Amino acid sequence: MALPRMDSDPTAWAPQLTPASTLAEAWAHIRETGEPMAVVWRHGRPVGIVGAEALLDGIRIGRSGDPVATVMDYVAVHVDNRAGPGATLRQFRQAAWDWLRE
């Protein structure tokens, strides 16, 4: 199997990480892609980013089976550029609550 070019979209060939993916699965994904960070997806939309350092820190202290949501570095929020300020604020608020529940 030929690997894709490095400038291609890694999500097109690599399995997607979800908030429920384990730290070990996320670490394997990062090693496979060669990237220092990975996007975490939910229902086809990005919800966060997890870095190699956060994963390794968790794995080193025995948390390799914990969900990746517990160490996500950033929370990504989809914003519709046609939405008004109220709708945009609701999107950010919902993303924050979703992250806290994880």
Side-chain angles (χ1 to χ4, degrees), residues 4-97:
R5 294 185 354 225
M6 288 305 289
D7 63 349
S8 65
D9 179 5
T11 63
W13 62 277
Q16 290 185 351
L17 296 177
T18 69
S21 298
T22 66
L23 301 187
E25 291 167 340
W27 176 244
H29 174 85
I30 282 183
R31 290 190 57 199
E32 182 179 331
T33 63
E35 297 292 330
M37 300 189 106
V39 177
V40 180
W41 299 82
R42 181 187 296 123
H43 306 299
R45 291 194 172 193
V47 294
I49 299 172
V50 64
E53 284 296 317
L55 293 171
L56 284 176
D57 288 346
I59 290 168
R60 282 185 191 120
I61 62 170
R63 295 179 49 205
S64 62
D66 285 6
V68 76
T70 62
V71 297
M72 281 192 324
D73 294 326
Y74 301 98
V75 175
V77 180
H78 173 74
V79 176
D80 183 346
N81 63 354
R82 298 167 293 171
T88 300
L89 181 59
R90 281 189 294 280
Q91 285 293 106
F92 275 91
R93 188 178 304 126
Q94 185 61 50
W97 279 114

